[in-house]
Amino acid sequence: MSLLPAWLAFDGFAWPWCLLLCLLPWLVRLLPPIIGDQQPALQVPWANRLQQVAAGNRGLVSPHKFPWLAWLAWCLVCVAVARPQQLGPAVAPPQAGREMMLAVDLSGSMGEEDMALGGRAVDRLTAIKAVVSDFLDRRDGDRIGLIVFGDRAFALTPLTQDRASVRQQLQTMVVGLAGRSTAMGDAIALATKRLQQQPNPEKVLILLTDGVNTAGTLDPQKAAQIAKQAGVRIHAIAFGGDGAAVSLLGFQLPLGGGDDVDEAGLARIAKVTGGKFFRARDTGQLVGIYQEIDKLEPVQRQGQAVRPLIERYPAPLSAALVLGLLAVLWPRRTA
């Protein structure tokens, strides 16, 4: 570890041969002096005054009488020209991820409390928030956007690497925020529109719903064809219990009603775009599905770290300027 301050420490020179220029003043001093004609070329009445002025101008530097301050300033200039460099801290290249949109169904059926989380019964949306939040923690390097859909589809967050803002918007979602119906086709179309504008070829949509398409202007199968043409890969998740019971602390609590999930339609959507269809009937299965998606859509990890070169020439160059000024002004002050 260097004992010098950070702005003085360096590990080497880019052009070390420039240090040989430090000898240039002595080489100039070895040159024979220039002997001029001793005969006066011009007779003027003020010649004696000119000689006195010339003799009194001792602040000028002569190559045959090189002051030590000026020589030191010259050496520092040579050091700066040689470009002293220091290895900076290791920097890893950024991770190469995907453009990923998360489309979450907020229709009325997402409020059914047929899920278990932490030993208590919760509604489907609460379970989704917990699982998707954990999924976001593992997607370092992706640009992620969030879409919700009910009667219509809305983009809550654009594609961004700020996963904290996506997680914040995720936690603020409530059932019925976008309406009580399910505009699945519109959600696919909106996600495709946002994704196809990106240059990254890895475009993924994770579509999560617990129902069938009951609203919107675009049929989900037609929207899937558009997504395929745009290079968007859709992983479709059908979520929700069977409507019979929920497991809580080892007991099966009966629940009324049944689910109407278009599993066949979701499977076709996934297949036509090159994605995969999943069925989750409880929170544990949903966790496993997002872990499986992590394997299907892996984030390229950081490459080998590199240490950038930091230029350290400003310090010797600044010192050379200060010493050069002293070399010129100091003789004048002591004259």
Side-chain angles (χ1 to χ4, degrees), residues 174-235:
V174 294
V175 174
L177 177 65
R180 311 293 295 185
S181 302
T182 307
M184 191 186 308
D186 288 2
I188 296 173
L190 178 58
T192 300
K193 181 179 179 182
R194 295 297 180 93
L195 288 168
Q196 69 181 358
Q197 299 171 353
Q198 307 303 318
N200 190 338
E202 297 293 339
K203 304 178 179 68
V204 179
L205 166 63
I206 300 177
L207 176 69
L208 190 149
T209 181
D210 69 343
V212 297
N213 188 70
T214 58
T217 59
L218 192 61
D219 178 73
Q221 301 302 322
K222 179 62 176 177
Q225 291 291 338
I226 297 173
K228 177 185 178 181
Q229 295 174 3
V232 177
R233 187 165 50 256
I234 301 177
H235 298 299

Side-chain angles (χ1 to χ4, degrees), residues 105-108 149-152 154 174-182:
D105 186 353
L106 291 185
S107 60
F149 60 99
D151 295 338
R152 296 174 58 189
F154 301 93
V174 294
V175 174
L177 177 65
R180 311 293 295 185
S181 302
T182 307

Side-chain angles (χ1 to χ4, degrees), residues 233-237 266-267 270-271 273-278 292 296:
R233 187 165 50 256
I234 301 177
H235 298 299
I237 303 174
L266 290 171
K271 183 177 180 180
T273 60
K276 192 171 180 179
F277 168 71
F278 302 93
E292 180 66 21
L296 293 173

Side-chain angles (χ1 to χ4, degrees), residues 10 32 42 74-75 78 98 114 136 177 206 214 220 265 277 314 330:
F10 63 94
L42 181 65
W74 173 254
C75 289
C78 296
R98 285 162 168 71
D114 58 351
L136 290 173
L177 177 65
I206 300 177
T214 58
F277 168 71
W330 196 352

Side-chain angles (χ1 to χ4, degrees), residues 11 85-92 305-312:
D11 297 312
Q85 297 174 329
Q86 183 183 21
L87 289 173
V91 177
V306 295
R307 298 184 64 184
L309 287 173
I310 302 174
E311 298 287 346
R312 293 301 187 190

